[in-house]
Amino acid sequence: MAARMNRTRGTALIGSVVVALALSACGGESSAEAEGEGSGSTGNCAPEDITLVGQVRNQTNPYEAAWLAGGDAFAESVGLEQQKLTYDGDSQQQQEQIRQVLASGDASCTVINALPNGDSDTTPIVNAADSADAWLVTQWNKPADLDPTEYERWIAHLTYDGVESGYQIAKALFEEMGGSGGVIALQGILDTAAAQDRFLGLQKALEEYPDIELLDDQTADFDRATALEVTRTLLTQHGDKVGGVWAANDDMALGAVQALEAAGVDGVAVAGIDAVPEALEAIADGSMTATVSSDGPWQGAVGLAMGYCAATGELDVASIDADDRAFFAEQFLITEDNVQEFSDPQLDMSEFDCDSLFSRATGPIAAS
């Protein structure tokens, strides 16, 4: 990924000077401090004292690897390094990694940009960070009733409208199939809002296409190797009735493509979500039909940028609009018609300036 390193705030050295001057101009304390109300929602960390942590399941998933690459790009732009953590889908390991990070230094200057393994994993992550006064951004998974506005240093939770993305790729898939035929569906990790919502999007599209039949749906855990085996099994069971494969992410879609190629099956449409480079190549060469961009590099960078701005005092968390504390981010449907526009992604580093962090917010996540 060729991320541009020139940020509007300038180089890391210049950015550090600007932050220091800004803090000096404020006398080193916020208006809340002056009024005796505490300063839980703003920080006063020197940039060089900040620890940036990005945590995802693994780096073999190209989307999550791209997330960490975006985090690296942001960290480099402010003269820091990102500490990269992976937990291989093990919730206990994820929690232990967070505990170790929080115990290893000044947690008040620690920034964590985390992908919780499942909805139920978000609460202990939030509680651990809150108890340690660390800065936290979470993405994708959280219980509907867990609200960042009730915390001072849980800056934001961002995700994508999974119902809409699942619906968009289903419609593209069904149109490619001519509006009729049989489909198999590869679901993600079922204890995640992303998997649940995307499957709801598929069901919404099925209601609009009465001549499309859902032959079977099985979980493949967002994993390519698992998807290959599940697709192979479903092809054996359903044979030439399969005209399309709907997958809840690109890694599973690419596993399905491998299974189809190994079985010598042509003419089956495949759609996924994430817009990873291999999926874009597959769309360009015709072996996949569609994907939806959730821009992993931007996610990896923006979470760290939010924490960095809060830790330095450039962002007052209490001043963030409530709708931006838990929000849907912008996403894009990609097909053969526009795939070239997304084939060479570039990070626009100006999006990570402290006054631009919520520029991709499209609306609040509604509580269920």
Side-chain angles (χ1 to χ4, degrees), residues 336-356:
E336 64 177 354
D337 294 333
N338 64 349
V339 66
Q340 296 305 322
E341 299 174 26
F342 295 87
S343 295
D344 185 23
Q346 301 275 327
L347 277 179
D348 179 356
M349 302 308 287
S350 68
E351 290 190 275
F352 312 121
D353 291 333
C354 297
D355 58 356
S356 301

Side-chain angles (χ1 to χ4, degrees), residues 13 92 101 197 208 282 303:
L13 177 59
Q92 288 186 331
V101 164
D197 289 347
E208 299 178 9

Side-chain angles (χ1 to χ4, degrees), residues 108-155:
S108 67
C109 292
T110 296
V111 172
I112 299 173
N113 183 30
L115 168 58
N117 194 38
D119 289 4
S120 60
D121 297 297
T122 307
T123 300
I125 291 172
V126 169
N127 288 340
D130 185 62
S131 296
D133 285 334
W135 303 99
L136 176 68
V137 174
T138 55
Q139 303 198 38
W140 286 117
N141 304 316
K142 80 170 185 67
D145 59 356
L146 191 64
D147 187 355
T149 63
E150 298 178 0
Y151 297 82
E152 290 181 328
R153 294 194 170 210
W154 183 14
I155 302 166

